[in-house]
Amino acid sequence: MERVLIDLESADWGNFIRWHFQMPELKTTIRNFPDGESYIRVEESVKGREVIIVCSLNNPNKKTLELILLCKTLRENGASRVGLIAPYLPYMRQDKQFHPGEGITAEYYASILSDNFNWLITADPHLHRIPKLNNIFTITTRTIHAAPFIADWILKNIKNPVIIGPDHESKQWVKKVANNAHAPYIVLNKLRPGDTEVKETIPDMRKYEGYTPVILDDIISTGKTMINAIKNLVKMRVEPPICIGVHAVFAAGAYEEMMAEGAKEIITCNTIKHSTNKIDISDGLINIL
Amino acid sequence: MERVLIDLESADWGNFIRWHFQMPELKTTIRNFPDGESYIRVEESVKGREVIIVCSLNNPNKKTLELILLCKTLRENGASRVGLIAPYLPYMRQDKQFHPGEGITAEYYASILSDNFNWLITADPHLHRIPKLNNIFTITTRTIHAAPFIADWILKNIKNPVIIGPDHESKQWVKKVANNAHAPYIVLNKLRPGDTEVKETIPDMRKYEGYTPVILDDIISTGKTMINAIKNLVKMRVEPPICIGVHAVFAAGAYEEMMAEGAKEIITCNTIKHSTNKIDISDGLINIL
């Protein structure tokens, strides 16, 4: 089946797909009417084709309706299959009822995407209590893991790194990155009393004198986790830490605050377009697309 | 079945429902995480209850995902039925493929709401080529007509009105308002070369000397239709016109431009909260809710 690309918002993923897979781009018009509604037009035939949409889904409340209307437009016009590459997959954190009456939005969001797309590719979805995407998606899903790309970047760019995991949940992942980067690692204990408040304890760093601390997390949103780790490291008079995240969500002011608190540099993977994108993980598509 | 209300964004409709139907309001928490995702919690039991959500759906791309996640949360927690009162129903204008490849977003939006809600109540949906809402909705729908409320307002507030319809499509509706308000009416011919550009011709107004011109339209979005009519009336040196719309969508600058061009006053119905809301049509719920 012939495959065509719609590159909605992809950091460099669209470029990589065009280049590596030689995939043609579908001509479309997608714009807003003055009242904010979306106008969508497919400018060439999609009959019998598989359409692949690349769209990073940060700010999901603003993007998802248009994405679904686009998907329905493609099917209306004869597309055989519509697949979604979402380098960042949102709504994965509310994956159970922590309190009675809460919406399990991870499940609902997965069901909305499953109702519309034939398959999904994403990178490092934030899954804690749900073991696999296929527990909540009814369509085929494939995941790209950022860990080997991050380890490779650390190996090439940081001398004597010590990898610092912000909480116990991150341990397996931090250990994997550290092993691939031939570096030692430590894991902090995090307490999270609310959405935006985070506390943690830092173990003794004296044995890592002369090392460069590298704090690792999957999503940088408010940056509070990183900021607390930075503050503790600053107190211990170690080297200014390098902060690496997979997903550059960055709530307003988060980047500036992290830098102000003493981060040496902030590095992210290219799953959400941001000036910190230094680690290109779109190569991960090679064996799965 | 016991009915409970969630008043998301309703101009005065929520107040009217609380007052007239003595309907209790369901305690909920709906807020945004710092990354823009919605947190939704139902704070009391909805088991076996019918939940009625009131939400005016202007800016649909920003509001619809959260509305659907709320609906799914209510069902997760045992609600028997979930109904939607949308005083303004969006996406009704793109109701056919005007050009090959276009999305028929009126149908898709209707199917998204139909998949989630048990029934819909709205006011004056902008239907042209689709004769009835039930041609695109698979759920029960009921419509409140603004015409009698507008006619009543004109009768009480305007001396010697002449009702002016902006285009031929509006003729039936304008005639109805005019008849109910015991006023003469004229209908302009509108040409619409693009989304934002509108031209029209105004017939001779000399026989309406001493009358107050009242321009009538269903949606005021860019205001271009109204502005062109105002300009033509100004040229004819008639009284400054009163502009009445049902839905106060008001794209940026539209209100200011209409006033600057010579509108005496702009009046709308309370389907979208706006300072021009002078005509309360929520009474229309009395016989249908």
Side-chain angles (χ1 to χ4, degrees):
Chain A
M1 196 184 303
E2 196 200 354
R3 301 191 295 182
V4 286
L5 174 71
I6 298 178
D7 182 3
L8 280 188
E9 196 179 326
S10 70
D12 317 303
W13 292 46
N15 290 333
F16 179 76
I17 294 166
R18 277 186 289 271
W19 170 77
H20 181 84
F21 297 95
Q22 297 284 309
M23 202 181 292
E25 199 159 2
L26 188 71
K27 286 193 196 79
T28 58
T29 300
I30 301 169
R31 61 180 170 80
N32 287 107
F33 286 108
D35 60 5
E37 294 180 8
S38 298
Y39 171 84
I40 299 167
R41 186 180 177 191
V42 179
E43 304 278 2
E44 57 185 304
S45 174
V46 287
K47 276 224 175 74
R49 292 164 118 182
E50 177 174 64
V51 182
I52 298 172
I53 301 175
V54 192
C55 185
S56 197
L57 288 169
N58 56 316
N59 292 319
N61 289 18
K62 289 181 189 164
K63 294 179 182 177
T64 304
L65 180 65
E66 185 173 88
L67 181 68
I68 290 169
L69 295 174
L70 171 59
C71 184
K72 291 183 189 291
T73 300
L74 293 165
R75 295 196 192 278
E76 173 99 37
N77 287 283
S80 293
R81 289 160 63 82
V82 185
L84 174 64
I85 300 177
Y88 177 67
L89 183 63
Y91 274 111
M92 290 298 111
R93 285 185 273 190
Q94 188 77 27
D95 56 4
K96 72 163 204 169
Q97 285 195 328
F98 301 94
H99 303 98
E102 284 180 347
I104 308 170
T105 48
E107 285 180 11
Y108 312 155
Y109 197 76
S111 86
I112 291 168
L113 294 186
S114 294
D115 285 347
N116 284 281
F117 293 94
N118 293 96
W119 52 260
L120 168 80
I121 293 174
T122 189
D124 277 355
H126 188 89
L127 296 174
H128 278 166
R129 285 151 292 263
I130 295 167
K132 290 186 302 180
L133 281 180
N134 285 359
N135 294 109
I136 52 174
F137 281 86
T138 57
I139 54 175
T140 304
T141 61
R142 302 294 295 273
T143 297
I144 291 170
H145 300 286
F149 296 94
I150 294 173
D152 194 49
W153 188 91
I154 292 171
L155 259 178
K156 286 179 183 151
N157 292 279
I158 303 176
K159 218 175 125 180
N160 276 344
V162 52
I163 315 298
I164 298 168
D167 53 28
H168 195 73
E169 281 173 347
S170 67
K171 189 182 170 184
Q172 287 309 310
W173 185 65
V174 165
K175 186 179 170 182
K176 195 174 169 186
V177 172
N179 288 348
N180 286 9
H182 314 308
Y185 72 93
I186 56 173
V187 171
L188 315 179
N189 294 309
K190 185 165 76 167
L191 307 164
R192 190 186 274 279
D195 288 355
T196 56
E197 206 187 335
V198 172
K199 286 179 180 181
E200 65 220 358
T201 56
I202 297 255
D204 194 351
M205 289 290 290
R206 272 172 296 186
K207 69 174 183 175
Y208 296 112
E209 224 182 294
Y211 281 74
T212 302
V214 178
I215 310 171
L216 211 61
D217 207 353
D218 62 343
I219 300 175
I220 305 180
S221 176
T222 62
K224 294 294 178 219
T225 304
M226 290 277 190
I227 288 163
N228 276 286
I230 295 165
K231 280 182 177 169
N232 280 305
L233 291 169
V234 166
K235 273 184 214 155
M236 291 176 189
R237 296 161 190 261
V238 299
E239 291 272 304
I242 292 172
C243 299
I244 301 183
V246 179
H247 303 295
V249 172
F250 286 111
Y255 176 84
E256 293 72 14
E257 202 183 339
M258 286 171 66
M259 292 305 287
E261 291 294 347
K264 187 180 174 188
E265 198 177 356
I266 303 168
I267 305 289
T268 60
C269 301
N270 62 344
T271 60
I272 298 170
K273 197 174 176 65
H274 192 264
S275 61
T276 53
N277 292 166
K278 292 268 169 70
I279 305 173
D280 184 349
I281 68 168
S282 58
D283 270 30
L285 289 169
I286 288 177
N287 294 317
I288 64 172
L289 185 61
Chain B
M1 196 184 302
E2 196 203 353
R3 301 191 296 182
V4 285
L5 174 70
I6 298 178
D7 182 3
L8 281 188
E9 195 179 325
S10 70
D12 317 304
W13 292 46
N15 290 334
F16 179 76
I17 293 166
R18 276 186 288 270
W19 170 75
H20 182 83
F21 297 94
Q22 298 282 310
M23 201 181 292
E25 199 159 3
L26 188 70
K27 286 194 195 79
T28 58
T29 300
I30 302 169
R31 60 180 171 81
N32 287 107
F33 286 109
D35 61 5
E37 294 180 8
S38 298
Y39 171 83
I40 299 166
R41 185 179 178 190
V42 179
E43 306 277 1
E44 57 186 304
S45 173
V46 287
K47 277 223 173 75
R49 292 164 117 182
E50 176 173 65
V51 182
I52 298 173
I53 301 175
V54 192
C55 185
S56 197
L57 287 168
N58 57 316
N59 293 318
N61 289 18
K62 289 180 189 165
K63 295 180 184 177
T64 305
L65 180 65
E66 185 172 89
L67 181 68
I68 289 168
L69 294 175
L70 171 60
C71 184
K72 290 182 189 293
T73 300
L74 292 165
R75 294 198 193 279
E76 173 98 38
N77 287 285
S80 294
R81 290 162 63 83
V82 185
L84 175 64
I85 300 177
Y88 177 66
L89 184 63
Y91 273 111
M92 289 298 110
R93 285 186 274 190
Q94 188 76 27
D95 56 4
K96 72 162 204 170
Q97 284 195 329
F98 300 96
H99 302 98
E102 283 180 348
I104 308 169
T105 47
E107 285 180 11
Y108 312 155
Y109 197 76
S111 85
I112 291 168
L113 294 186
S114 295
D115 286 347
N116 284 280
F117 293 94
N118 292 95
W119 52 261
L120 169 79
I121 293 174
T122 188
D124 276 357
H126 187 89
L127 295 174
H128 278 165
R129 285 151 293 263
I130 295 168
K132 290 185 302 182
L133 280 180
N134 285 357
N135 295 109
I136 51 174
F137 280 85
T138 56
I139 53 175
T140 304
T141 62
R142 301 294 295 272
T143 297
I144 290 169
H145 300 286
F149 296 95
I150 294 172
D152 194 49
W153 189 90
I154 292 171
L155 260 177
K156 286 179 185 153
N157 292 279
I158 304 176
K159 217 174 124 180
N160 277 342
V162 52
I163 315 296
I164 298 169
D167 54 28
H168 195 73
E169 282 171 348
S170 66
K171 190 182 170 185
Q172 285 311 310
W173 186 64
V174 165
K175 186 179 170 184
K176 195 174 169 187
V177 172
N179 288 348
N180 285 9
H182 314 307
Y185 73 94
I186 58 173
V187 172
L188 314 178
N189 294 309
K190 184 165 75 167
L191 307 164
R192 191 187 274 276
D195 289 354
T196 56
E197 205 187 335
V198 172
K199 287 178 179 179
E200 65 218 358
T201 57
I202 297 256
D204 193 351
M205 289 290 291
R206 272 172 297 187
K207 69 174 181 172
Y208 297 111
E209 225 183 292
Y211 281 74
T212 302
V214 179
I215 312 170
L216 212 59
D217 207 353
D218 63 342
I219 299 175
I220 305 181
S221 174
T222 62
K224 294 294 177 218
T225 303
M226 289 278 190
I227 288 163
N228 277 285
I230 296 166
K231 280 180 176 169
N232 280 305
L233 291 170
V234 166
K235 272 183 212 154
M236 290 176 187
R237 296 161 191 265
V238 299
E239 291 273 305
I242 291 170
C243 300
I244 301 183
V246 180
H247 303 295
V249 173
F250 286 110
Y255 175 84
E256 293 73 14
E257 202 183 340
M258 285 170 67
M259 291 306 286
E261 291 295 345
K264 186 179 174 190
E265 197 176 359
I266 303 169
I267 303 289
T268 60
C269 302
N270 62 343
T271 61
I272 298 171
K273 196 173 176 64
H274 193 263
S275 60
T276 54
N277 293 166
K278 293 267 171 69
I279 304 172
D280 184 348
I281 68 168
S282 58
D283 270 29
L285 289 169
I286 288 176
N287 294 317
I288 64 173
L289 184 61

